[in-house]
Amino acid sequence: MSDFRNDMNNPNPEQPVRRRRSARYENGGAQQVPPQNAANQGMPAADATRAVPPVRPAMNGQTQMHQPVNGVRAGQPRQPVGQTQQAQPVAPRQPVGAQRSYPQGQGYNQPRYPQDQQRRPAQGPYQGSSYQSGPYQQGNPYQQNGGQGAYNPYNNLQGRPEPHQKMNRTGEIPMEPQLADQVEPPRKKRHGLLITLIVLVLVMALAVVGMMFLPEDTDGVLGTVRNTVVNTINGVLGKDTAKKAKVELLDLSAANTEGEAPESVIFTLTTTKDTNAVRLTDENGDVMAMSETPTTDNEDSRIWMLTMNIQDGYEGMVTTEITAGDEWLTTYRTQTIQIAPVQQQPIDTVAFNPEATEEPAPTEAPTAVPTEAPTAEPTVEATATPTVPPTEAPTEEPTEAPTAEPTPEPTPEVTEEPTPMPTITPGPSPTPTAAPTEQPAMTASFDGADADPSQMKAAFIYSGSKTLNVYDRIAKDQVRMNGGDDYTTLPGGKPFGVMTFRGNAFRQNAAIGTVGDISKMSVAWQTPAGSLASSGNTVYYGIGEGAQPAIIKWSKEIREASNMYTDKQSTPALKEVIIAGLDGKIYFLDLADGSATRDAINFGYPMKSTVSLHPLGYPIMAVGQYARKVKSGMGKTVDLTFYNAMTQSKLYSINGLDGNKKRAYSDLGYFNTSPLFDRNSDTMVTVGSNGMLYVTKLNTEFDYGLGTLKIKPETINLATKYSKQKDETTAVESSLAMYGSYAFYADMAGILRCVDTTTMTVKWAVKTGDAVTAAISLELDENGKLWLYTANTLDNRSKGDCEIRRYDAMTGRQDWICSIPVMKDGKATVAGASASAIVGRGDIDDLVIYTVSYIKKDGPDIAGAEAGGKTTPGAVIAVRKADGKIAWTRALDSASHSSPIAVYTEGGKSYVVAASGKGMLYLLEGTTGSVINTLQLEGNIEGSPAAYDNTVVIGTTGKGKSYIYGITLE
């Protein structure tokens, strides 16, 4: 009705108009109407006429009827409109097919009566006619003129046809005779106010219910309102409104879980702050005896350390329980312990058997004892029984470990990598310190004009598709990356394995565990790798540059919940090798024999990166893609892919091509680098060949008991560029290193920078002279100073030096530089240091060791180099940490992209394992570089080795010569 009135108030005289049917003129001035046809049924015929009373707009915007003209009152005939009294145009007639239609057989646009009025009988000269005419009332355009009681335009509206009345074919409504005194029964009033109140009550009730479903930890005004509503309701119901304690085990780790008694197993538990006690139970549910250190509270968690002293051996599974004081809750987080009991020798029975001492020939026992343990046996005879177990092992074992370990190994570790977790004092029976040591607080800021970050042309921070001017990561999500062995375990404890490229966040080495005195290498097993055809004649074979095996000892729960083959699931302490290949496959092998533990993942595109695993042993792994063009077609993305390592199912991926965002300077989208996982903030940090830094909060949800795993990633990106730097050189091909919140990485222009991941700002940036493909390496010395090591290649220059540098990692100030002349020859693709460093420990804790290719003969003397030629194709070079001077060199038979590793005895004696491009493995003495042994493998070597105890794993590449090898150091 409102639309119709608006049409009447704003007529368009150029268009046909709709005339009111409620009033008709008898004489001249009748308006012709269109004939009735199929398109407008129900309309008057062409010869029909109707008179239109004059209308005028009301002051309030609605149309009103004029007062009766020429004194005509109700019940008298009205005169037609003259020339001086033209009818005002009304609403235009809608064309055929318009939305408004004219239904047949019933009235349309019938007026509404006021709800609180009575209908009065229609009277007057028009009663019973086809149309009842009358003045136009405001809000009632079809109102008929009343009979008795003269018409007044402001009187109550009257005269609406009953619903049962029907129009005839001409649209007229036949009127039934009505009595003058007939009065319509009063209509019921609508209870508008009551309905409004009911609606308001329902809305409020729904709001209250909604508030009750909000999480308890909802912040802000909404959280305050929610708590007020819930507390009020609880108060009315008489319930206790006190906040229920949140008790949850956030993390569990254990050190020294394997070995031989006596042994101390250290458990570290991280819980919510409401937890006030923890304990461990055995497989029967019995509480186990543990010693406990004082707890430590972080901002949002509480750390506990329990020590289980095992004297007689223990093999089984222990379960954690926690409480807030009311009842003990089982967390279903378990740890398998395999500590073998002491093996008693027959001589012990003779020595301490009273009857044996009465034998006629007492000298036989003493004679036998010196044969097996000459220096220890007489002492054993005189001492009490409890000292027997230590003497069963050779005396050099307990003596060597306490004296050698604390100096080269544990002592630097405790100083290097303090963590929020408790620290362990090294020794055969570790005991906890009084309180855990916090990670040293460090603040990075540039020192000197050369390191001024303002030389960066631009630094853009992105959150999804948004560009941020400033960013500040909230405290609980700030990255607190641990380096060294603390990346995965407590200081002095054994990590889960080799979890990323070069082992950890310091990128120092890719070997864990210890070896004995070794003198040779031998092939324990070899497994064939495949190939993948690309476009044209290009074929990718085996294991490529940058690919290093990851090795992990899964927990029993994860192993049994995984899709490993049944016999592998039941293998105690299984150590799984995971390696990605250029052939588009990710292999899963048993470290012991090289057999497959499960089917390989067929990724379908070549990979040159190292698989990274979660440092807490969660079944999360990530690996980067190298290329997307293969014979089967071109891929749409180049991804860093996250997998559930239990089920091998894909969890998430990051597209290095950046989709349609175009935020990166470099259009290279592949990921040849290996990411790092921060176990403290549940964050992944990496950098891609597009030059962007990725800091991804994973929001991991992992249930040990159910074996379910989910992540909900949230990523912040940083794109940086140095002044006058070419876009393509912003690509990053070397894995970043981290300490705390600081990430260190260099690009293909040689721009090295320190980025604070809390604010995503560059703290310092320096030029290293040329492209950097070797991973950045870090070291925290005994004085608490963080050093950074890097080396470049001859890539953007036609000639020059390979420059090995050491920087103060917190300021960017260069400490020293070691320049090694290199040159490109006709076949050389990369001259310089494309392989990553060994940051020495043990007896080489004063050395940093690199592999360098194509060294000029007028450079340093290279031990074992062949005569003739302009270059030495490849060499291992050890540089002193203190001053950058070369300590020793050793020639290789070819150039090398493979990063060397160092393995150590329990006493800290070092051995270096290096590989040449032609497939030759070298076993070198760590302090001198002397060759101990060599081993020729099939195929070329581009990837890097990794070692777990005395087993080295490495891959080769080549047509028909691509393998994954297990090498025994013996």
Side-chain angles (χ1 to χ4, degrees):
M1 205 59 176
S2 59
D3 294 337
F4 182 75
R5 290 173 185 162
N6 290 336
D7 293 340
M8 293 180 67
N9 289 337
N10 298 281
N12 184 349
E14 297 180 1
Q15 298 180 2
V17 296
R18 183 193 306 277
R19 301 300 184 182
R20 294 176 51 218
R21 299 197 304 168
S22 59
R24 174 174 297 180
Y25 288 94
E26 299 176 355
N27 300 314
Q31 181 71 37
Q32 295 294 326
V33 296
Q36 178 176 338
N37 53 42
N40 60 356
Q41 294 185 18
M43 299 298 294
D47 58 349
T49 61
R50 59 181 180 182
V52 181
V55 296
R56 61 181 174 84
M59 294 301 292
N60 60 4
Q62 298 193 14
T63 306
Q64 289 186 341
M65 297 298 300
H66 284 289
Q67 295 291 335
V69 183
N70 299 327
V72 177
R73 297 185 180 276
Q76 298 180 357
R78 300 187 63 179
Q79 298 298 323
V81 178
Q83 296 298 321
T84 60
Q85 196 176 14
Q86 294 293 333
Q88 297 296 323
V90 294
R93 183 185 308 277
Q94 291 188 343
V96 175
Q99 181 176 1
R100 184 178 301 217
S101 61
Y102 302 92
Q104 299 185 36
Q106 59 180 351
Y108 62 96
N109 290 338
Q110 296 298 331
R112 292 182 179 274
Y113 284 93
Q115 297 178 3
D116 57 347
Q117 301 296 327
Q118 298 179 358
R119 289 183 57 190
R120 300 176 62 185
Q123 297 181 10
Y126 301 103
Q127 179 175 343
S129 63
S130 298
Y131 293 88
Q132 291 183 346
S133 61
Y136 191 99
Q137 280 282 10
Q138 179 180 354
N140 191 14
Y142 298 105
Q143 177 62 46
Q144 285 83 10
N145 188 18
Q148 294 180 347
Y151 169 80
N152 187 317
Y154 303 101
N155 284 347
N156 298 327
L157 302 176
Q158 307 166 15
R160 182 175 62 181
E162 296 296 338
H164 66 273
Q165 291 179 308
K166 300 181 179 179
M167 289 183 179
N168 56 25
R169 293 188 61 184
T170 62
E172 299 176 346
I173 303 175
M175 302 295 293
E176 296 180 1
Q178 299 182 17
L179 297 176
D181 57 349
Q182 182 178 357
V183 178
E184 185 183 41
R187 303 182 65 167
K188 294 183 180 180
K189 298 181 180 181
R190 295 187 179 181
H191 303 286
L193 180 60
L194 178 60
I195 293 174
T196 302
L197 291 175
I198 293 174
V199 171
L200 289 175
V201 170
L202 290 174
V203 170
M204 292 177 65
L206 289 173
V208 170
V209 172
M211 288 292 176
M212 297 183 68
F213 279 98
L214 289 174
E216 293 183 6
D217 56 355
T218 302
D219 297 327
V221 176
L222 194 60
T224 303
V225 174
R226 182 260 177 209
N227 294 334
T228 302
V229 170
V230 173
N231 291 339
T232 301
I233 293 175
N234 289 336
V236 171
L237 299 177
K239 294 184 177 180
D240 184 9
T241 59
K243 184 179 179 180
K244 187 177 180 180
K246 183 179 180 180
V247 185
E248 182 180 356
L249 178 64
L250 305 176
D251 180 34
L252 169 67
S253 62
N256 304 330
T257 58
E258 293 182 359
E260 182 177 320
E263 184 63 273
S264 293
V265 183
I266 311 300
F267 295 87
T268 301
L269 294 80
T270 304
T271 68
T272 52
K273 282 191 174 181
D274 290 336
T275 305
N276 56 24
V278 297
R279 70 185 186 186
L280 299 176
T281 61
D282 59 19
E283 294 175 339
N284 297 321
D286 297 329
V287 178
M288 306 185 70
M290 296 276 175
S291 61
E292 180 182 328
T293 59
T295 59
T296 300
D297 284 346
N298 290 331
E299 181 179 356
D300 54 2
S301 62
R302 177 168 292 171
I303 299 174
W304 312 74
M305 191 171 75
L306 306 177
T307 303
M308 177 181 177
N309 295 311
I310 302 175
Q311 299 297 327
D312 301 322
Y314 180 87
E315 294 190 9
M317 186 172 60
V318 297
T319 303
T320 56
E321 294 186 352
I322 59 178
T323 183
D326 299 330
E327 59 179 348
W328 287 95
L329 302 176
T330 300
T331 66
Y332 300 103
R333 298 284 289 273
T334 61
Q335 177 66 51
T336 301
I337 308 298
Q338 294 178 330
I339 305 298
V342 177
Q343 299 296 323
Q344 300 290 337
Q345 298 293 336
I347 188 65
D348 296 332
T349 305
V350 176
F352 294 95
N353 189 334
E355 296 182 0
T357 58
E358 299 176 2
E359 290 291 330
T363 57
E364 290 185 14
T367 303
V369 171
T371 303
E372 294 186 15
T375 60
E377 207 50 54
T379 304
V380 173
E381 296 260 356
T383 55
T385 303
T387 60
V388 174
T391 58
E392 294 310 308
T395 55
E396 58 187 12
E397 191 76 21
T399 305
E400 186 178 336
T403 56
E405 286 291 333
T407 304
E409 196 84 25
T411 302
E413 283 299 321
V414 174
T415 306
E416 274 184 14
E417 286 306 305
T419 71
M421 307 176 81
T423 315
I424 300 175
T425 302
S429 298
T431 56
T433 57
T437 307
E438 291 292 334
Q439 202 165 256
M442 293 187 180
T443 302
S445 60
F446 75 96
D447 183 5
D450 291 343
D452 189 345
S454 65
Q455 297 175 98
M456 302 299 292
K457 177 182 178 181
F460 292 102
I461 307 170
Y462 301 103
S463 176
S465 59
K466 296 180 180 178
T467 303
L468 307 178
N469 294 324
V470 294
Y471 176 75
D472 192 4
R473 189 173 290 267
I474 60 176
K476 71 184 183 70
D477 290 341
Q478 290 177 7
V479 179
R480 303 184 298 279
M481 191 76 71
N482 302 112
D485 287 344
D486 292 348
Y487 181 70
T488 56
T489 58
L490 296 171
K494 192 172 185 178
F496 294 106
V498 181
M499 311 297 281
T500 186
F501 183 66
R502 307 305 289 164
N504 52 52
F506 275 9
R507 310 290 191 185
Q508 296 177 329
N509 196 14
I512 66 165
T514 58
V515 298
D517 289 329
I518 55 179
S519 59
K520 67 175 184 176
M521 302 177 291
S522 62
V523 175
W525 51 263
Q526 70 182 86
T527 299
S531 62
L532 179 65
S534 182
S535 59
N537 297 323
T538 302
V539 179
Y540 297 105
Y541 296 102
I543 309 303
E545 180 184 353
Q548 167 216 289
I551 308 173
I552 183 169
K553 184 182 72 175
W554 295 113
S555 68
K556 178 182 178 182
E557 295 79 11
I558 292 178
R559 189 179 70 243
E560 293 180 348
S562 73
N563 63 346
M564 290 185 187
Y565 302 143
T566 304
D567 60 325
K568 300 300 183 181
Q569 287 181 345
S570 59
T571 301
L574 174 79
K575 300 168 186 68
E576 188 171 48
V577 176
I578 307 176
I579 186 169
L582 286 172
D583 60 358
K585 291 184 171 60
I586 306 174
Y587 295 93
F588 297 80
L589 309 174
D590 188 338
L591 179 68
D593 57 15
S595 60
T597 55
R598 41 184 155 172
D599 294 343
I601 294 176
N602 188 9
F603 183 75
Y605 296 95
M607 292 165 282
K608 290 174 65 174
S609 63
T610 297
V611 171
S612 284
L613 300 167
H614 198 288
L616 287 176
Y618 290 170
I620 299 176
M621 71 179 198
V623 64
Q625 180 179 341
Y626 166 57
R628 62 184 177 125
K629 192 173 184 179
V630 295
K631 189 174 183 179
S632 60
M634 175 80 78
K636 295 182 179 179
T637 61
V638 181
D639 295 333
L640 173 68
T641 304
F642 295 79
Y643 287 96
N644 179 335
M646 285 191 301
T647 62
Q648 298 180 322
S649 58
K650 181 178 176 180
L651 292 171
Y652 180 68
S653 64
I654 296 174
N655 179 13
L657 297 178
D658 209 31
N660 297 322
K661 300 184 181 74
K662 304 299 181 185
R663 301 172 299 179
Y665 291 108
S666 170
D667 58 4
L668 297 176
Y670 48 82
F671 289 91
N672 286 348
T673 62
S674 185
L676 295 172
F677 291 95
D678 176 36
R679 59 178 176 171
N680 300 301
S681 62
D682 190 28
T683 302
M684 185 280 306
V685 185
T686 196
V687 63
S689 293
N690 59 16
M692 286 204 300
L693 176 69
Y694 295 81
V695 182
T696 303
K697 174 73 174 176
L698 296 177
N699 298 304
T700 303
E701 298 177 6
F702 177 50
D703 191 310
Y704 268 104
L706 299 177
T708 57
L709 174 65
K710 296 179 182 178
I711 60 174
K712 299 176 182 177
E714 303 171 76
T715 299
I716 298 293
N717 300 86
L718 177 68
T720 55
K721 182 180 178 181
Y722 206 75
S723 178
K724 299 181 180 180
Q725 183 179 0
K726 295 180 180 179
D727 287 351
E728 61 268 20
T729 64
T730 61
V732 178
E733 303 261 343
S734 62
S735 294
L736 57 75
M738 285 199 71
Y739 178 76
S741 66
Y742 297 109
F744 305 89
Y745 60 98
D747 58 28
M748 294 301 288
I751 308 302
L752 171 66
R753 74 268 279 166
C754 167
V755 174
D756 185 356
T757 59
T758 299
T759 58
M760 299 298 280
T761 55
V762 180
K763 308 307 290 184
W764 58 258
V766 297
K767 292 182 177 180
T768 67
D770 209 330
V772 174
T773 58
I776 305 301
S777 297
L778 299 174
E779 180 184 33
L780 192 65
D781 69 15
E782 64 276 5
N783 298 318
K785 196 172 187 65
L786 187 66
W787 296 108
L788 181 151
Y789 300 93
T790 185
N792 63 15
T793 61
L794 190 63
D795 186 68
N796 301 313
R797 302 165 293 163
S798 60
K799 60 181 180 179
D801 296 339
C802 167
E803 296 157 333
I804 301 172
R805 289 179 167 90
R806 180 163 100 156
Y807 291 92
D808 182 335
M810 286 294 102
T811 66
R813 177 176 288 278
Q814 182 175 293
D815 187 46
W816 51 254
I817 181 173
C818 175
S819 297
I820 303 172
V822 295
M823 67 177 294
K824 300 177 181 178
D825 65 13
K827 298 180 181 180
T829 55
V830 177
S834 58
S836 303
I838 297 171
V839 179
R841 300 161 68 174
D843 62 1
I844 56 170
D845 63 352
D846 61 334
L847 302 178
V848 57
I849 302 172
Y850 279 95
T851 299
V852 181
S853 297
Y854 299 104
I855 303 166
K856 292 176 68 174
K857 285 296 179 69
D858 59 359
D861 292 334
I862 305 298
E866 293 182 0
K870 295 181 180 180
T871 64
T872 299
V876 181
I877 298 179
V879 178
R880 299 193 186 281
K881 295 177 182 177
D883 55 16
K885 304 297 183 182
I886 295 177
W888 57 258
T889 61
R890 175 55 54 185
L892 304 175
D893 66 347
S894 67
S896 177
H897 298 288
S898 179
S899 302
I901 60 172
V903 295
Y904 302 90
T905 66
E906 291 187 0
K909 180 176 174 57
S910 61
Y911 299 90
V912 172
V913 178
S916 75
K918 291 184 177 180
M920 182 70 77
L921 279 185
Y922 292 79
L923 177 64
L924 308 177
E925 202 278 324
T927 57
T928 66
S930 301
V931 178
I932 299 173
N933 188 236
T934 60
L935 180 64
Q936 181 66 54
L937 305 180
E938 291 189 69
N940 298 324
I941 297 177
E942 294 181 356
S944 299
Y948 195 112
D949 291 335
N950 67 334
T951 301
V952 175
V953 183
I954 192 169
T956 63
T957 179
K959 183 177 181 180
K961 297 180 180 180
S962 297
Y963 296 96
I964 304 168
Y965 283 94
I967 309 297
T968 301
L969 304 177
E970 50 187 340

